[in-house]
Structure formats: structure tokens, C-alpha cells
Amino acid sequence: MASRSKPRSLAAKNGSAATPTPKITQNGVATDGGSKEAIAVPGGAINAFVNETLYAPAPESTDHVRLEAKYPLFIGGQWQEPTDGGYAKTINPATEATIAEVATAGKNDVERAIGAAREAQGKWAKLPALERGKYLFRVARLIQERSRELAIIESMNGGKPIREARDVDLPIVAQHFFYHAGWADKLEYAFPGETTAPLGVVGQIIPWNFPLMMAAWKIAPALACGNTVVLKPAETTPLTAMKLAEIFQDAGVPEGVVNIINGGGSTGAALVNHAGLDKIAFTGSTEVGKGIMKALAGTGRQYTLELGGKAAHIIFEDAPLDEAVEGIVNGIFFNQGHVCCAGSRVLIQESVADTVVARLKRRLDTLIVGDPLDKNTDIGAINSREQLGRITTLVNAGVEEGACIYQPSQSLPSRGFYFAPTIFTETAQSHRIVQEEIFGPVVTIQTFRTPDEAIEKANNTRYGLSAGVWTDKGAKIFKTTSALRAGVVWANTFNRFDPSAPFGGYKESGIGREGGVQGLRSYLRFE
């Protein structure tokens, strides 16, 4: 069995001002900003890293994956060339290699997509609800049949470990289509005594962290309620949406019911500002969400926004500590921390703080960072160079503000966008790393003495998307969770999702809910 290097802290344990504070640059080399000594964090070949681990490489085969060199726009049930857009390369963030070229939509292309959706909407809404449900069932079954291929493409295009794409993302994607297929002909039972009608044409904009899952969260309820859709995937992760378009074709979904157009911020803006839409459903950053609210104010068009988060993860002294450590790891390092509801702020009761932190540091040393398509990998590649730069900037800010940084001493791949799992201790509420969403594998740790102090710290944020509580006392769970201003609160677990459970936030984490009966309501008019 190969030996493993021991973890080390990149800052003095006491965080004293006399100790040089390391800076981490975007390429993964840490320097002290003035001292002659440089501290190497990432850097080194994949093979060198693998040799330090306990497992031999176990790469997922990609031989069966079918990808086109170019993907046009999917409008009116057909693949169509852009009229005023162009093509953009989409890459594998683990290797920086180009995977395919994908068409980007201009204003005329957005117009065409909305026109196709409007033309199809009346017929789709008049279709017997049972028939609409059958189409969704077909889509769900095709997703199950092609789940291996979809998981690999999701991992290749997004950087997430194949185990997560295979075992988490794809099952949830299929579940959402199955779940909403069942509701299609039962809306009268979901909303007894109320007369419902579809909104019409819905514009949907999804992020890059869960491309296929977010598409399912939005498309499935919209179609079940009789709406048609124009979907804009994130510009860095469009490929599984392109495969989803193929599935809609194979399932025989009528032309124009689902239209998928790619592009960046200008495409999204053209979609949001188009008067032909009846609703915008957006998942992404709080800043963009605020812009959408301003654009739609006074227009009469509806919207739901699922935005950023800075979730508090509360560990009480009576919690099962080993399980809580695993919960922390799952809460923040799942999908490289690219999770809006990630448990990025850990609050630990003072009496057990040293124990939990020590165990967490040991656990970090066992995490394998590397090739996302290796089944042993725990933390894959950061989604883009831009996101890697943001993570690096905020981590450096944490160091500059006096927090103590800890990272396991392991080499990262020399090519691709990678960042080591990071813990910050000795943090304060005023620190940027505590207040701002990092959206990376970085967790801050604070302590508390009483439950009231934990609740006060947990709620001291502009966000309110999610939270977690660990304790073996049921009464403490109910008291704490009821006091937390968060849309989703987990008890003795974290990052568990179910299509029948609504998801959404308070404060600057958004407006509206997705999933469950509450999610259906947001795609209906009540007459």
C-alpha cells in the first residue's frame, strides 16, 4: 500500500500577524507575497498524484459516447443554424481540450425560438393531460436508458466526478420527469376547488453546476402544466442539453414544445427582455437575478428565481461527530463546492470544535482530487478558468484578513482547472469568505456556545437558501430548524433532494419554489 503524505497548514495555527501569509495564485502556486519561501500547493502530473493515493486509476470508458463536432440550435423540433449568432467552443475543464462547437443564439434566433414555442403552445395545452404525461414518461425512460452516456458527458463538460453524475444527478433527472408525468392529469387534485390554466410560453435559464438536473427541474413541471419552453443552458456546459434535445425528438415530443438555444449573457438578456414570454425561470447568481427582477418589474410577466446561498451547517456537541464530519464533506466538497445550497459555513459548538476540526482535516487528506472520469475521484475540476480565478481571489482575501487556511498536501493535475479542498478556521462574521458565496471547495469554520448564538450567526447573512443541523435531540432539531431563515433545512444529513419536496430560498436567495406541488403552482394561472 502506497504511503500518503501528511496534511499541513498553510498558515500558522494561531494566525499571528508575525507569520507570513501565503497567497494562492490562479495556477495553484502559493507564495507569501514578500517572503523568499514559496509554498507549493497544486502542481505536478496526474500520474504523480495517483501514485500517492491508495487506489489505482479506474477511468470510465468514453468509447460509447456519441457527440457531434457541431451542434446547431434546437428550434421547432429541428436542428437549425443560427441566423445572427455564431459558434463557440465548449471545453473539458479537466483537460482544457475542446469537446465540440455549439451554436450561440442572437436576437433573431431568440425570436424564432419564442415564435416556435408560441405556435406549439395552444396545441400542447389542448392535448389531453394524460397524453402530456405519457410524453414525459417516455422522456424519463429514455433518460434512464441513456444514463451512462449522459453521466459521462455531464462529467466531461462540467468537471464533476463521474460517481456524482452517475449516482446523484442522473437518477434525480429521471425522477423529476417521472414525478411530473404523474401530476400532468391530476392538477385538480393538487389544487382542489381551483380552476387552472397554463401560463403559456416560458423562458428558462439554467446554470453550469447541474446542467441536466436544472433542465429537468424546469422543463418537467412546465410541460406537465401545459406550457411550452425556450431553454437557455449555461454557455460553458451546453452538451447534455443538446443530448436532451435528441431525447425529446426520440420521444416524439411535438415540435416546438421544447426549444433549446445556447449563448452567453447577451442571449439570456434577449430572452428575458422579450415581450412574447409569459414567465422567466432562472437559476444562477444573485446579481443576475436582481437584474431580471428589474427588467420584469411592471411587465406583468411572472418569474421564479433560485439564486445564491451561503448555508450554515450547525454541529451541536451531542451530534454523532463522525457522521457530522461526513456531512460537512458532502455538504461543501460535493461537485467541487459548485452548489448553491452548499454547507459553506460550518458552525461547531465550542466544546467539540477541536475534535471536529481535527477529524475534518484528517478526512480531507483522504479525498482524491483529479480526473473527473476516474471512479476514485472525490473532487473533480473547477468548471472554468473564470470560476477558478474567483475562488482564488476569495481564498487570498481570507488569508489577508487573518483567517487560518488549511489544505492537504497533495499534488493536483498540471493541466485543467483544479483547486485543493480548503478549510478556514479563526474566521469572523465580517470576513469576505464568510459573507460572500465562493462557489468552490472552500469551507469556513466558526464556533458557538449556545443554540441561540448558533442561530444568530447562521441567520447573519444576506442569503437564505439552505441550512443543516446535527444533533441527536429531536426537540433541538425542531427548535433550531424553525428559527433558521432558510428555504431548505436538513437534519443529520445534507444535500438530499427529492422531486416531491419544494426547493427555494428566502432573502437574496430567490423567489418561488421548484419541485413538489409548490413548484407546479408557479407554472399555472388560477382562474
Side-chain angles (χ1 to χ4, degrees):
M1 182 177 294
S3 62
R4 299 184 63 84
S5 56
K6 295 181 180 179
R8 55 176 169 77
S9 175
L10 298 185
K13 189 174 183 181
N14 62 8
S16 63
T19 304
T21 54
K23 288 276 190 77
I24 301 177
T25 65
Q26 188 168 323
N27 65 5
V29 177
T31 63
D32 62 7
S35 168
K36 294 181 180 179
E37 181 183 2
I39 305 172
V41 185
I46 293 177
N47 290 338
F49 171 68
V50 170
N51 289 336
E52 297 175 2
T53 68
L54 300 174
Y55 305 101
E60 176 69 56
S61 173
T62 61
D63 294 345
H64 65 289
V65 174
R66 297 178 293 107
L67 283 169
E68 304 294 333
K70 279 190 173 184
Y71 282 97
L73 305 171
F74 185 70
I75 298 175
Q78 305 295 325
W79 296 101
Q80 301 189 25
E81 293 294 325
T83 58
D84 59 342
Y87 278 86
K89 294 180 179 179
T90 183
I91 69 167
N92 182 337
T95 63
E96 303 179 57
T98 298
I99 305 174
E101 292 186 11
V102 179
T104 59
K107 286 187 177 181
N108 290 338
D109 300 317
V110 171
E111 183 77 36
R112 288 194 296 145
I114 294 175
R118 180 63 64 188
E119 183 179 350
Q121 198 275 323
K123 295 178 182 179
W124 179 250
K126 291 178 182 178
L127 197 67
L130 183 63
E131 295 302 312
R132 290 202 302 269
K134 288 179 180 178
Y135 282 115
L136 294 180
F137 270 119
R138 290 177 200 164
V139 170
R141 290 302 302 271
L142 288 171
I143 288 170
Q144 285 185 320
E145 290 174 9
R146 303 179 190 179
S147 62
R148 184 184 175 199
E149 179 187 21
L150 292 170
I152 291 172
I153 297 171
E154 195 82 327
S155 183
M156 289 173 61
N157 200 191
K160 66 179 59 184
I162 184 63
R163 287 189 293 111
E164 294 177 2
R166 180 195 65 200
D167 299 340
V168 180
D169 290 27
L170 263 299
I172 293 176
V173 170
Q175 287 167 15
H176 271 268
F177 278 101
F178 276 127
Y179 175 78
H180 289 97
W183 271 121
D185 63 339
K186 302 176 184 67
L187 296 178
E188 61 183 292
Y189 299 102
F191 309 104
E194 299 185 85
T195 302
T196 63
L199 292 176
V201 179
V202 180
Q204 301 178 327
I205 303 173
I206 59 175
W208 44 259
N209 56 337
F210 291 96
L212 197 55
M213 191 189 300
M214 292 296 99
W217 280 29
K218 286 178 167 51
I219 293 175
L223 299 192
C225 293
N227 303 282
T228 54
V229 166
V230 178
L231 178 79
K232 191 201 85 67
E235 59 184 318
T236 61
T237 54
L239 293 183
T240 45
M242 298 292 92
K243 300 302 289 187
L244 189 59
E246 294 177 2
I247 287 175
F248 285 127
Q249 284 184 313
D250 292 345
V253 175
E255 294 181 353
V257 171
V258 177
N259 306 271
I260 302 178
I261 55 174
N262 297 298
S266 60
T267 306
L271 193 61
V272 168
N273 293 314
H274 199 288
L277 293 177
D278 298 292
K279 176 184 174 173
I280 287 289
F282 172 78
T283 296
S285 72
T286 296
E287 289 68 29
V288 175
K290 289 179 179 179
I292 291 174
M293 289 183 68
K294 291 179 181 178
L296 297 181
T299 66
R301 284 176 279 160
Q302 297 189 29
Y303 57 87
T304 51
L305 307 173
E306 195 262 281
L307 308 176
K310 195 69 178 174
H313 207 162
I314 301 173
I315 314 297
F316 285 104
E317 61 186 356
D318 57 5
L321 298 186
D322 286 335
E323 288 86 345
V325 168
E326 290 303 308
I328 295 170
V329 169
N330 180 57
I332 185 58
F333 301 124
F334 174 66
N335 196 26
Q336 298 75 252
H338 297 335
V339 186
C340 51
C341 56
S344 55
R345 292 185 298 141
V346 174
L347 308 176
I348 309 172
Q349 198 152 19
E350 196 172 85
S351 58
V352 295
D354 289 344
T355 300
V356 173
V357 170
R359 294 183 187 182
L360 182 59
K361 288 179 177 179
R362 287 199 298 269
R363 182 68 176 89
L364 253 65
D365 193 45
T366 69
L367 296 178
I368 298 174
V369 184
D371 181 7
L373 287 178
D374 190 326
K375 301 182 191 72
N376 296 319
T377 294
D378 298 300
I379 299 177
I382 303 301
N383 182 264
S384 66
R385 188 181 300 276
E386 179 183 6
Q387 184 59 26
L388 179 60
R390 173 172 171 77
I391 295 168
T392 303
T393 297
L394 285 171
V395 166
N396 283 334
V399 172
E400 291 169 358
E401 289 176 329
C404 294
I405 186 173
Y406 178 89
Q407 294 175 317
S409 59
Q410 55 181 240
S411 297
L412 302 185
S414 57
R415 189 175 183 185
F417 313 132
Y418 292 88
F419 200 90
T422 303
I423 299 173
F424 274 106
T425 56
E426 305 296 329
T427 60
Q429 286 290 123
S430 60
H431 286 170
R432 287 184 65 190
I433 53 174
V434 174
Q435 291 296 326
E436 296 185 30
E437 186 179 35
I438 300 174
F439 224 60
V442 182
V443 63
T444 64
I445 295 177
Q446 295 174 279
T447 61
F448 66 91
R449 292 184 178 180
T450 67
D452 288 342
E453 182 186 358
I455 292 168
E456 183 177 359
K457 285 185 174 180
N459 288 334
N460 186 11
T461 174
R462 63 191 177 111
Y463 296 109
L465 187 57
S466 62
V469 177
W470 288 79
T471 173
D472 67 356
K473 301 294 191 296
K476 191 181 293 184
I477 288 174
F478 288 119
K479 181 178 180 180
T480 305
T481 56
S482 63
L484 293 173
R485 291 294 295 164
V488 178
V489 183
W490 289 285
N492 292 332
T493 188
F494 209 89
N495 277 338
R496 299 288 181 180
F497 302 98
D498 189 287
S500 64
F503 183 87
Y506 295 101
K507 298 186 281 188
E508 293 191 20
S509 286
I511 295 173
R513 294 293 182 266
E514 294 185 302
V517 174
Q518 294 87 341
L520 287 170
R521 179 177 287 275
S522 67
Y523 284 100
L524 292 167
R525 298 186 194 277
F526 292 84
E527 302 173 344

